[in-house]
């Protein structure tokens, strides 16, 4: 590039701004842009490749290659140099393209004459849109200034594509945010929902990527950054009483907000011709790109802080605020990168469904979604960049599939599925009051999981015979400070009042792993699922455990009380916790408080180790509840958050069912009541097999009780036990095929 790169860069962006203002059609505009880029930097070839689908790039415009190749030359992600740039998201600058690794010759383009190659990804906030390519006969690498100028141009092209500047014929030039898209994720809460998109944090649209007056843009940036810094300082001032960890996070915020390097880079981008908004977004895109490559959790958190600050700065600059002015639709499907339990509870039952770009099957948001019976899909890549407020959307929480702006045929099939589910619910309502007795006379108790007061009406509506698991940690997770004992007493009283004479099993505080209290110092652990969590935290933080036990005893106020300790891995952990219960009872007696009529203290069996505890443990414990979700992942050594392995192992695996049967036998020897709590308890076929293994109490989400009861009422467990035994004798890995065949042959 000629001397005075900044002037040339600004001149090029000025010509692009004029092109944006022209009335040229999409293809014509793209053709003219490739010509002016080639002319501005004195290159012989400039080409733009755009994605026609998720994995395929298409040559959409060129200056210097064969015109006949436009819309005909295509390549897969990672194929050829262009595909490698798209895959890596990084610039490729080489003087000898034919010798570069991955080079692929495209004879229809006539590119064999050109030696040098510069490929720049066209992307916006992590969303890959295409590749900008510059080539020349001369064997030379482009200078750093030339590369920088073309990176800026590529970003402007991404903004123009976002604004619909290149809409034309063909898939690669089809308008963004208007096509029907199917996105796959992980099912976190079952159910199906149809509605319209509501973005938790609407995307900021940069309508002016190119500066008309760089000096004014610098002033706007300076003013916005100062407003941002003042806001961060206020946040720090308000949070002075918070714990050390919260203050460290806010201090990191302030450090980034006052970063001279961050400010200098944005000022340089403006000097090169970008608007203030585009300069902020360029830095944000680079932060997101780095975030995707960093594995260290601390560095990822810091980059996420920078990403969040960029969002705040963009909202100040654009004035678009927290929302884009849209009204919450009557049938909202919430879309977010992630969301905390407090924010989710504010939306409450108004939501039809939830789709998260991140999230996990064990996150706080998932727990709340399950409590509210709202279909939830997690790990849905690109959803926050693809969806717009008001888009029609279908959420299949059973399969983990999201249909955005669906075709009519998809909508019709989806509505048929919802109608069938509604008819099934009507059928289940007719057996709500019917005791769950199998055809061979076995009585099965079906109870529900809960964690919010909003769950309790389901006790009667679902036909549940009690609450097999009340998650007490939600009251701790949705707050910014430790709840008071009096608040917990009032909460637990309301739960017992709503339950009436039905049994409620209160699980003590289950935190750690993916459930981190915002006001408790977070301990960085390489494998949190196997780390400091649940009863381990309780025994190390005795004060918190005692406060909760006191609240439970006082809330009972003379009524029966049932307490369960989570994640007990060995008998002594339970004995220590039981000692704390007894000690708290004695203290409450001395203080003159009314004690519960009866007290049951049980343990959750979530680790294989507890199944092999001495028989004396099973004699001592009042009841045992198998925590199926954790037990299964530890039994198979398969993280249930890992999509690569979590579906690999079947609950109906012979080994796992044999293990469950062993636990049943040990509880039967001691006469200890046993239940199974977890997702599998609410899946009819799995629940049926667990009952055949001897489980007589199943705890599940309220909506699952009807389907499970319906199947159990028609089943003969003696016959099913024989089917399972035969499959085991034949050496089959899973009994599922044999069980499904047996079910098909039933009346």
């Amino acid at each position: 590039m000629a001397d005075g790169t900044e002037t040339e860069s600004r001149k090029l962006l000025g010509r692009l701004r004029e092109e944006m203002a022209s009335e040229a059609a999409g293809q014509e505009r793209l053709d003219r842009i490739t010509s002016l880029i080639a002319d501005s930097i004195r290159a012989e070839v400039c080409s733009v490749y755009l994605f026609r689908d998720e994995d395929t790039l298409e040559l959409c415009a060129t200056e210097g290659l064969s015109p006949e190749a436009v819309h005909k030359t295509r390549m897969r992600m990672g194929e050829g140099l262009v595909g490698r740039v798209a895959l890596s998201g990084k610039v490729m600058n080489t003087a000898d393209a034919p010798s570069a690794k991955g080079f692929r010759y495209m004879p229809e383009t006539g590119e064999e004459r050109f030696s040098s190659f510069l490929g720049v990804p066209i992307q916006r906030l992590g969303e890959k849109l295409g590749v900008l390519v510059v080539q020349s006969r001369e064997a030379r690498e482009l200078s750093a200034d030339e590369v920088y100028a073309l990176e800026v141009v590529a970003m402007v092209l991404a903004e123009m594509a976002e604004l619909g500047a290149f809409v034309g014929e063909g898939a690669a030039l089809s308008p963004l945010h208007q096509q029907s898209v199917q996105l796959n994720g992980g099912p976190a809460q079952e159910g199906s929902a149809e509605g319209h998109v509501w973005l938790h944090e609407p995307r900021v649209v940069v309508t002016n990527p190119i500066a008309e007056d760089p000096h004014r843009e610098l002033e706007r940036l300076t003013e916005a950054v100062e407003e941002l810094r003042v806001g961060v300082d206020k946040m720090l001032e308000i949070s002075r009483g918070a714990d050390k960890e919260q203050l460290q996070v806010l201090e990191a915020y302030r450090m980034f907000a006052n970063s001279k390097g961050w400010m200098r880079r944005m000022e340089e981008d403006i000097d090169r011709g970008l608007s203030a908004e585009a300069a902020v977004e360029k830095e944000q895109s680079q932060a997101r790109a780095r975030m995707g490559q960093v594995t260290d959790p601390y560095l990822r958190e810091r980059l996420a802080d920078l990403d969040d600050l960029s969002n705040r700065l963009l909202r100040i600059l654009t004035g678009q605020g927290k929302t884009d002015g849209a009204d919450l639709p009557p049938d909202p499907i919430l879309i977010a990168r992630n969301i905390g339990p407090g924010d989710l509870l504010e939306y409450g039952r108004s939501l039809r469904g939830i789709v998260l770009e991140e999230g996990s099957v064990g996150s706080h948001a998932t727990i709340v979604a399950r409590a509210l019976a709202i279909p939830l899909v997690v790990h849905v890549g690109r959803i926050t960049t693809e969806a717009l407020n008001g888009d029609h959307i279908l959420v299949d929480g059973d399969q983990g599939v999201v249909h955005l702006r669906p075709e009519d045929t998809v909508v019709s099939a989806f509505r048929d599925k919802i109608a069938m589910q509604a008819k099934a619910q009507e059928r289940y309502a007719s057996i709500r009051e019917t005791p769950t007795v199998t055809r061979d006379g076995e009585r099965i108790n079906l109870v529900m999981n809960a964690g919010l007061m909003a769950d309790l009406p389901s006790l009667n509506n679902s036909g549940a015979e009690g609450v097999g698991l009340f998650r007490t940690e939600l009251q701790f997770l949705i707050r910014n400070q430790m709840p008071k004992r009096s608040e917990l007493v009032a909460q637990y009283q309301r739960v017992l009042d709503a339950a009436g004479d039905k049994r409620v099993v209160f699980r003590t505080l289950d935190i750690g792993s993916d459930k981190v209290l915002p006001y408790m110092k977070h301990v960085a652990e390489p494998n949190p699922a196997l780390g400091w969590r649940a009863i381990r935290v309780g025994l190390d933080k005795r004060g918190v455990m005692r406060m909760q036990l006191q609240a439970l005893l006082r809330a009972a106020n003379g009524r029966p009380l049932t307490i369960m300790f989570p994640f007990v891995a060995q008998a002594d952990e339970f004995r220590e916790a039981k000692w704390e219960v007894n000690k708290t009872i004695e203290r409450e007696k001395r203080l003159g408080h009314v004690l519960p009529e009866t007290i049951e203290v049980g343990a959750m069996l979530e680790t294989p180790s507890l199944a092999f505890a001495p028989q004396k443990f099973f004699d001592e414990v009042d009841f045992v509840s198998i925590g199926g979700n954790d037990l299964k992942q530890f039994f198979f050594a398969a993280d249930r958050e890992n999509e690569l392995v979590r579906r690999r192992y079947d609950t109906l695996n012979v080994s796992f069912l044999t293990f469950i049967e062993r636990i049943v036998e040990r509880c039967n020897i001691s006469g200890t009541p046993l239940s199974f709590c977890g997702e599998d308890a609410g899946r009819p076929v799995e629940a049926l097999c667990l009952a055949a293994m001897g489980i007589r109490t199943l705890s599940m989400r309220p909506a699952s009780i009807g389907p499970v009861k319906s199947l159990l009422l028609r089943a003969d467990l003696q016959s099913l036990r024989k089917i399972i035994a035969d499959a085991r004798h034949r050496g089959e890995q899973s009994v599922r095929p044999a069980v499904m065949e047996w079910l098909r042959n039933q009346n």
Side-chain angles (χ1 to χ4, degrees):
M1 187 177 283
D3 293 336
T5 301
E6 295 174 358
T7 303
E8 290 298 325
S9 172
R10 195 179 299 166
K11 194 181 299 181
L12 172 54
L13 289 177
R15 294 177 68 182
L16 277 177
R17 185 175 64 245
E18 292 172 6
E19 194 54 56
M20 288 176 68
S22 74
E23 297 182 0
Q27 183 66 60
E28 181 186 355
R29 174 177 285 163
L30 199 54
D31 290 341
R32 285 159 58 170
I33 284 174
T34 55
S35 295
L36 72 86
I37 293 173
D39 179 62
S40 294
I41 67 166
R42 299 173 180 82
E44 290 156 296
V45 175
C46 176
S47 306
V48 173
Y49 295 81
L50 298 176
F51 281 102
R52 60 177 285 112
D53 58 45
E54 198 170 326
D55 297 311
T56 311
L57 286 154
E58 181 177 297
L59 176 62
C60 290
T62 187
E63 171 70 23
L65 297 183
S66 172
E68 287 74 23
V70 174
H71 297 305
K72 293 180 181 176
T73 295
R74 294 170 187 168
M75 61 199 70
R76 307 287 290 177
M77 180 88 83
E79 181 183 7
L81 300 188
V82 175
R84 286 183 63 199
V85 172
L87 180 63
S88 67
K90 297 179 180 178
V91 171
M92 179 180 290
N93 185 12
T94 176
D96 186 6
S99 299
K101 181 181 178 181
F103 176 80
R104 181 191 166 193
Y105 172 53
M106 300 286 192
E108 71 273 16
T109 65
E111 64 180 345
E112 70 276 5
R113 297 168 292 162
F114 306 107
S115 181
S116 67
F117 174 94
L118 174 68
V120 180
I122 301 172
Q123 52 192 0
R124 184 179 187 270
L125 299 181
E127 182 182 11
K128 295 178 178 180
L129 301 173
V131 178
L132 171 65
V133 174
V134 168
Q135 296 170 276
S136 62
R137 287 189 176 88
E138 182 185 354
R140 70 181 182 94
E141 287 190 9
L142 274 71
S143 70
D145 285 338
E146 290 171 319
V147 172
Y148 180 90
L150 288 170
E151 284 183 299
V152 171
V153 170
M155 181 193 167
V156 174
L157 290 177
E159 295 292 347
M160 293 175 73
E162 174 77 13
L163 295 169
F166 306 133
V167 174
E169 293 184 9
L173 295 184
S174 58
L176 299 178
H177 312 300
Q178 293 184 31
Q179 303 172 59
S180 177
V181 180
Q182 176 180 315
L183 299 169
N184 298 317
Q189 167 60 21
E190 297 166 349
S192 302
E194 177 180 3
H196 291 84
V197 166
W198 179 256
L199 292 166
H200 181 56
E201 289 191 337
R203 59 196 293 155
V204 174
V205 179
V206 177
T207 57
N208 58 328
I210 303 170
E212 292 187 26
D213 181 354
H215 296 293
R216 176 58 192 140
E217 293 303 307
L218 284 170
E219 289 175 1
R220 290 179 63 236
L221 178 68
T222 302
E223 291 166 3
V225 169
E226 183 57 33
E227 184 177 336
L228 176 72
R229 289 170 177 166
V230 169
V232 172
D233 287 343
K234 284 182 179 177
M235 287 166 61
L236 258 169
E237 191 62 37
I238 292 170
S239 303
R240 282 298 172 197
D243 65 59
K244 185 178 178 182
E245 180 124 348
Q246 277 184 285
L247 290 175
Q248 285 177 342
V249 171
L250 289 173
E251 286 289 0
Y253 252 46
R254 182 157 69 178
M255 180 188 73
F256 279 127
N258 289 279
S259 167
K260 292 181 180 178
W262 186 44
M263 189 68 180
R264 185 188 68 252
R265 290 191 298 273
M266 292 188 292
E267 289 172 343
E268 288 174 354
D269 291 331
I270 290 174
D271 199 42
R272 301 264 181 163
L274 290 182
S275 68
E277 290 91 334
V280 174
E281 198 169 269
K282 181 173 180 290
E283 281 299 303
Q284 186 179 18
S285 290
Q286 291 177 348
R288 284 198 182 178
R290 291 196 298 273
M291 199 161 25
Q293 297 164 9
V294 169
T295 55
D296 181 82
Y298 178 81
L299 289 177
R300 282 183 63 85
E301 285 178 15
R302 298 290 74 81
L303 288 168
D305 290 342
L306 184 56
D307 187 49
D308 184 60
L309 276 177
S310 299
N311 276 329
R312 290 170 183 266
L313 188 54
L314 280 171
R315 295 187 194 288
I316 292 171
L317 283 164
T318 61
Q320 291 179 22
K322 188 74 175 175
T323 70
D324 60 4
D327 293 325
L328 187 74
D331 52 359
I333 304 288
L334 183 73
I335 307 294
R337 287 183 67 193
N338 217 334
I339 188 169
D343 285 340
L344 193 49
L345 282 169
E346 283 186 19
Y347 286 106
R349 293 184 185 274
S350 65
L351 299 176
R352 292 282 184 87
I354 306 165
V355 183
L356 300 180
E357 195 160 298
E358 298 174 0
S360 68
V361 296
S363 68
H364 312 158
T366 301
I367 294 169
V368 174
R370 286 175 181 160
L372 298 174
I374 300 172
L376 167 65
V377 182
V378 298
H379 299 309
V380 183
R382 299 176 25 241
I383 187 67
T384 57
T385 54
E386 186 66 52
L388 295 178
N389 268 344
D391 279 345
H392 188 198
I393 186 171
L394 309 175
V395 178
D396 187 339
D398 303 320
Q399 303 298 321
V401 176
V402 175
H403 300 277
L404 189 61
R405 300 178 290 269
E407 306 275 358
D408 290 344
T409 53
V410 175
V411 174
S412 178
F414 194 84
R415 287 176 179 169
D416 286 345
K417 177 182 177 180
I418 292 177
M420 289 175 65
Q421 290 174 338
K423 286 182 180 178
Q425 288 300 328
E426 291 176 13
R427 186 171 71 253
Y428 302 145
S430 68
I431 59 172
R432 183 183 302 150
E433 305 303 325
T434 304
T436 310
V437 181
T438 64
R439 287 173 61 182
D440 54 335
E442 296 285 357
R443 178 71 164 89
I444 311 296
N445 299 307
L446 302 183
V447 294
M448 58 175 266
N449 302 329
L452 298 167
M453 281 303 299
D455 294 327
L456 274 302
S458 297
L459 255 176
N460 295 321
N461 299 338
S462 67
E465 298 174 69
V467 178
L469 169 68
F470 190 90
R471 305 180 184 92
T472 61
E473 60 271 8
L474 282 178
Q475 302 310 312
F476 290 78
L477 289 167
I478 62 178
R479 295 168 175 266
N480 291 321
Q481 59 186 13
M482 183 77 74
K484 296 177 182 176
R485 182 176 55 200
S486 58
E487 293 171 332
L488 294 178
V489 171
Q491 168 73 13
Y492 302 152
Q493 280 178 335
R494 288 195 295 270
V495 172
L496 290 168
D497 290 344
D501 60 355
K502 293 183 177 179
R503 180 173 180 256
V504 178
V505 179
F506 288 96
R507 183 179 69 185
T508 60
L509 194 57
D510 185 4
I511 58 171
S513 186
D514 56 352
K515 297 191 283 288
V516 180
L517 300 183
Y519 43 84
M520 184 178 287
K521 182 174 177 58
H522 176 51
V523 179
E525 299 178 276
N527 192 342
L530 297 176
W532 193 58
R533 53 178 292 201
I535 196 171
R536 298 168 181 175
V537 176
L539 292 174
D540 287 350
K541 299 279 187 180
R542 300 284 176 118
V544 177
M545 178 187 280
R546 288 169 194 152
M547 181 190 73
Q548 186 175 30
L549 291 174
Q550 289 168 357
L552 287 166
L553 290 166
R554 294 179 189 183
N557 195 30
R559 293 174 286 193
L561 177 64
T562 306
I563 299 170
M564 176 168 66
F565 290 103
F567 207 67
V568 178
Q570 56 187 9
D572 279 353
E573 289 174 334
F574 174 75
R575 290 177 182 133
E576 283 189 63
K578 180 70 178 290
W579 183 84
E580 285 292 345
V581 173
N582 292 334
K583 183 178 176 182
T584 306
I585 290 172
E586 287 302 317
R587 184 177 184 277
E588 291 296 290
K589 187 187 295 185
R590 289 196 305 272
L591 292 173
H593 292 291
V594 178
L595 296 177
E597 177 186 341
T598 59
I599 301 177
E600 294 178 281
V601 183
M604 285 202 87
L605 193 158
E606 299 171 86
T607 63
S609 62
L610 193 63
F612 298 96
Q615 192 63 40
K616 186 172 173 53
F617 162 75
F618 292 94
D619 295 337
E620 294 171 345
V621 70
D622 290 329
F623 65 92
V624 171
S625 180
I626 295 172
N629 295 344
D630 266 332
L631 182 63
K632 192 165 74 172
Q633 75 167 343
F634 296 141
F635 184 84
F636 289 114
D639 185 353
R640 64 193 180 108
E641 303 286 354
N642 188 334
E643 292 297 322
L644 295 174
V645 298
R646 80 181 188 92
R647 295 175 185 271
R648 185 182 294 255
Y649 302 100
D650 189 358
T651 304
L652 303 190
N653 181 290
V654 168
S655 300
F656 189 67
L657 289 182
T658 301
F659 185 56
I660 295 295
E661 191 174 42
R662 172 63 174 153
I663 297 169
V664 170
E665 290 170 357
R666 300 209 69 189
C667 286
N668 286 344
I669 291 170
S670 296
T672 304
L674 175 67
S675 64
F676 187 101
C677 174
E679 294 173 13
D680 289 320
R683 294 181 174 131
V685 176
E686 282 83 344
L688 183 62
C689 292
L690 291 169
M693 291 295 97
I695 304 285
R696 289 296 172 266
T697 299
L698 298 166
S699 188
M700 64 200 74
R701 67 189 185 100
S704 296
I705 289 175
V708 170
K709 180 184 285 190
S710 178
L711 186 56
L712 284 169
L713 289 173
R714 295 179 280 119
D716 183 319
L717 296 185
Q718 290 285 354
S719 299
L720 179 56
R721 267 194 285 268
K722 185 177 185 309
I723 296 297
I724 292 173
D726 289 345
R728 181 159 44 193
H729 181 71
R730 291 192 299 270
E732 294 181 8
Q733 179 168 287
S734 172
V735 304
R736 190 176 296 277
V739 170
M740 297 307 294
E741 179 64 26
W742 176 78
L743 284 171
R744 282 190 288 269
N745 293 330
Q746 299 302 296
N747 294 332

